[in-house]
Amino acid sequence: MYPQSVILETQQLTRCFGKFTAVDAVNICVHMGEVFGLLGPNGAGKSTAIKMLTTLLPPTAGRATIAGYDVTHQSDAVRRIIGYVPQALSADGSLTGYENLLIFAKLYGIPRSQREQRIREALAFMDLQAVADRLVRNYSGGMIRKLEIAQSILHQPQILFLDEPTVGLDPVARHQVWNLMQQLVKDYGTTIILTTHFLEEADSLCDTVAIVNRGQVIATGAPAKLKATLNQPNATLNDVFITYIGKKLESKISYHETAKIRHNIRRLG
Amino acid sequence: MKQPKSDITSGDWVELHPRKRKNFVGAIAELVSKTLVIAELEIRKLLHDPTDVLVRGVQPALWLLIFGQVWTRTQAIPTENLSYLEFMTPGILAQSVLFVAIFTGGMTLIWERDLGIVHKFLASPVPRTAIVLGKALGCGVRCLSQIAIVYSLALLLGVQLYLHPLAILQVVAIVLLGAVNFCIFSLIIGCVAKSRDRFTGIGQLITMPLFFASNAIYPLSLMPNWLQIISSINPLTYEVDALRSIMLPKSSSLYGFGLDCTILLSTLIILTIICGRLYPRVAT
């Protein structure tokens, strides 16, 4: 079992874009070593929440702390202890896998004496040694995702944010990424916060899930506990999702977001 | 409001308390080192695909070989003791650097924004000004190829150039300074425009006036008063003035090399501060 100390906490975290409230007074609490899933349909506000937690977007109201540091007022301290893999492809296709890692090792200030060893370890952990010197634009979708995760764990963050980590991946690559996440928790005790709209992914990976719709957290708890609340034998997370969101399900996904998602899927595919 | 300190421990995994910038010197050292890493990233990209450099040589070639040759024959523009081709050579170098910088900086930024690369950098503990300066410095290195291209073409056309190594070094410095300035200007446009279509529109709207409201292809004395005023606040004018005084043995600086450099450096500081503030908006 993971220790019970809280590593991330939000209080009434809110983000508005004009009159539209993308994240609406969200309160979540994540413990160290936990895999926490933000689960919801496209446009539910998951990515906006992640952007606020990773200091990319200032909250309109409320606050969030990571390892005791406030994401708004102590953003530099927060950036040093988090790792982040955005939903879009963030590895640079015009560099090799090794160069992508090298640049981030330097940016995170990993001492020169440890740099090569950390990069080698990360490549081995992700099983990417054989393609390290190949340009990333020639990688498969699964390899790119693994490289991106490798980049984000080089500085050994306390908490890793993964925004839709398996979107656009084929089933084999998806399972590889799942295994890696579990390995990260097991080997390093990393806390993982991921967003997903794949219920199977949330069910098999997450210790806790928060179901999000229209910017609000509708339900929080361990997948097993949430399933138990339905009082149905053999209830799945899918049933939980439908029960909690039901007719309220309304995707606010914009034309631009749809284009971005399809673009990513094409590149990863 | 004073924020509480972290009480989370995680063995020897990460530093418990992030390194604090102890003083101004430490902050500057971090800014310089991170700027160089970002510049290294850009240079590595260039090394993987150097064809871009050759393609960029077409534009100055057209200006010197066609425009320059024709206008030299007309003798319509008073350029004192210089031939028109000699007069315009430093101007064309500055112009080609301007175009490369403007269309590299913001365009790359928007491309990287769409891919998600920008977000990853912004979520890392790198000073925003270092990202801006590093990208601009990388662009500056990309622009250095323009020196070789313009010098080769000008020498072929019989232009007398000052080829002392120190003069070449000064040209390199001014080209870097000019490129960094205009690349950051372009990044600012990119931060505001956020889409490729909008950027291309604004970029074209700004680049040509910058070029024509400068002393690149005609002397300031030919301009009407209003244009002289605009050109006196145009950094390109000072870049061209500095280049003209270093590259041509028969020319001297209108403002003085020191003032040209001071103005370019001051512009750089102002643009960097503005861009550093705007840069995080790219992620939203």
Side-chain angles (χ1 to χ4, degrees):
Chain A
M1 278 302 287
Y2 49 80
Q4 288 304 299
S5 45
V6 172
I7 189 164
L8 183 149
E9 197 172 13
T10 70
Q11 290 162 1
Q12 301 291 310
L13 192 67
T14 305
R15 175 69 202 197
C16 305
F17 296 100
K19 284 182 182 170
F20 173 65
T21 308
V23 174
D24 193 358
V26 162
N27 297 309
I28 54 171
C29 184
V30 181
H31 297 92
M32 278 185 85
E34 190 177 20
V35 180
F36 189 95
L38 284 169
L39 190 60
N42 288 328
K46 307 184 298 289
S47 292
T48 306
I50 292 281
K51 279 186 180 174
M52 283 191 279
L53 296 173
T54 51
T55 76
L56 295 178
L57 200 61
T60 311
R63 69 190 290 251
T65 52
I66 295 178
Y69 296 114
D70 187 287
V71 293
T72 311
H73 305 289
Q74 294 167 303
S75 51
D76 202 45
V78 169
R79 287 183 201 121
R80 288 179 195 277
I81 56 168
I82 62 165
Y84 173 48
V85 182
Q87 185 177 345
L89 298 190
S90 58
D92 202 314
S94 43
L95 296 177
T96 65
Y98 172 82
E99 286 172 324
N100 266 288
L101 293 172
L102 178 69
I103 293 293
F104 268 81
K106 287 183 177 179
L107 288 179
Y108 275 97
I110 295 170
R112 189 189 291 264
S113 55
Q114 295 176 27
R115 221 180 270 155
E116 282 301 318
Q117 191 198 342
R118 292 264 187 106
I119 294 172
R120 269 201 310 274
E121 276 172 14
L123 285 167
F125 191 77
M126 298 291 162
D127 196 21
L128 289 171
Q129 302 104 309
V131 291
D133 294 323
R134 218 192 278 173
L135 285 181
V136 172
R137 71 165 73 105
N138 301 320
Y139 278 24
S140 69
M143 281 150 72
I144 295 174
R145 252 317 171 240
K146 286 200 280 184
L147 178 69
E148 286 167 340
I149 298 172
Q151 271 182 306
S152 64
I153 59 165
L154 272 176
H155 59 296
Q156 299 175 330
Q158 291 186 25
I159 185 161
L160 179 62
F161 292 91
L162 300 160
D163 195 358
E164 300 280 2
T166 58
V167 78
L169 297 185
D170 60 51
V172 176
R174 183 173 297 164
H175 275 96
Q176 281 181 341
V177 172
W178 289 2
N179 290 341
L180 283 173
M181 281 189 247
Q182 284 163 333
Q183 202 66 37
L184 268 175
V185 177
K186 194 171 148 233
D187 291 359
Y188 300 107
T190 314
T191 307
I192 294 180
I193 296 195
L194 62 96
T195 71
T196 184
H197 58 270
F198 296 123
L199 302 171
E200 186 200 354
E201 180 165 293
D203 207 359
S204 64
L205 276 180
C206 298
D207 298 304
T208 310
V209 294
I211 298 178
V212 188
N213 191 35
R214 294 185 191 176
Q216 292 179 324
V217 173
I218 301 171
T220 317
K225 277 188 184 167
L226 288 175
K227 283 186 268 187
T229 59
L230 297 188
N231 291 323
Q232 283 175 27
N234 305 321
T236 63
L237 204 53
N238 201 24
D239 300 324
V240 174
F241 195 76
I242 290 167
T243 306
Y244 279 100
I245 293 186
K247 287 177 185 169
K248 283 194 271 181
L249 177 61
E250 185 191 319
S251 180
K252 293 266 184 189
I253 190 163
S254 67
Y255 177 83
H256 180 67
E257 278 175 282
T258 308
K260 253 170 74 174
I261 290 167
R262 292 198 181 167
H263 177 73
N264 280 340
I265 289 172
R266 202 177 66 238
R267 277 176 54 98
L268 283 164
Chain B
M1 193 177 81
K2 201 169 179 210
Q3 299 297 326
K5 286 198 169 172
S6 168
D7 57 354
I8 297 287
T9 55
S10 61
D12 53 358
W13 246 55
V14 290
E15 295 164 87
L16 181 56
H17 297 295
R19 248 182 308 157
K20 284 182 184 157
R21 289 179 206 160
K22 280 185 184 133
N23 48 38
F24 181 71
V25 179
I28 295 290
E30 190 184 356
L31 177 69
V32 172
S33 72
K34 297 291 161 71
T35 297
L36 292 176
V37 176
I38 302 281
E40 178 191 343
L41 160 75
E42 297 297 323
I43 294 163
R44 280 177 183 270
K45 282 193 219 176
L46 181 65
L47 292 175
H48 283 298
D49 185 14
T51 49
D52 176 67
V53 168
L54 292 174
V55 177
R56 306 278 189 188
V58 176
Q59 196 169 325
L62 288 175
W63 277 94
L64 285 175
L65 295 174
I66 300 173
F67 189 89
Q69 297 246 60
V70 172
W71 280 82
T72 302
R73 281 168 180 248
T74 63
Q75 297 186 332
I77 296 174
T79 50
E80 296 179 356
N81 56 339
L82 302 169
S83 75
Y84 183 66
L85 202 58
E86 285 172 329
F87 177 84
M88 79 178 297
T89 299
I92 294 305
L93 175 57
Q95 181 249 23
S96 59
V97 167
L98 167 76
F99 275 64
V100 173
I102 291 274
F103 287 101
T104 301
M107 209 54 146
T108 316
L109 175 67
I110 291 167
W111 168 248
E112 290 181 352
R113 173 185 189 265
D114 290 346
L115 286 181
I117 296 174
V118 168
H119 300 76
K120 201 158 183 167
F121 280 93
L122 284 173
S124 73
V126 182
R128 276 68 187 125
T129 40
I131 302 179
V132 169
L133 280 171
K135 284 199 160 294
L137 192 59
C139 175
V141 172
R142 189 179 285 265
C143 287
L144 292 181
S145 61
Q146 301 297 311
I147 300 175
I149 291 164
V150 170
Y151 266 65
S152 311
L153 287 166
L155 289 171
L156 271 177
L157 294 169
V159 172
Q160 270 196 313
L161 293 171
Y162 194 45
L163 294 172
H164 191 279
L166 206 62
I168 305 270
L169 270 181
Q170 282 179 306
V171 170
V172 167
I174 294 295
V175 163
L176 274 178
L177 205 47
V180 167
N181 264 309
F182 291 115
C183 180
I184 297 179
F185 185 53
S186 171
L187 288 172
I188 290 174
I189 302 171
C191 290
V192 177
K194 291 189 189 176
S195 88
R196 260 172 273 186
D197 295 339
R198 267 196 299 245
F199 176 82
T200 312
I202 302 173
Q204 280 171 349
L205 195 74
I206 285 172
T207 317
M208 293 315 273
L210 267 174
F211 175 44
F212 288 123
S214 79
N215 54 352
I217 51 170
Y218 33 72
L220 293 176
S221 55
L222 273 190
M223 296 180 186
N225 278 340
W226 64 268
L227 194 55
Q228 281 189 11
I229 294 168
I230 294 175
S231 109
S232 70
I233 54 166
N234 180 357
L236 190 67
T237 299
Y238 300 94
E239 185 189 343
V240 173
D241 187 59
L243 287 176
R244 202 163 270 147
S245 68
I246 318 162
M247 287 171 69
L248 305 173
K250 288 187 282 181
S251 179
S252 59
S253 168
L254 198 64
Y255 303 106
F257 187 73
L259 182 65
D260 290 331
C261 290
T262 308
I263 287 176
L264 288 172
L265 276 171
S266 312
T267 314
L268 173 63
I269 292 168
I270 295 166
L271 289 175
T272 306
I273 293 169
I274 296 172
C275 196
R277 293 266 167 118
L278 288 176
Y279 205 82
R281 284 174 49 166
V282 184
T284 60

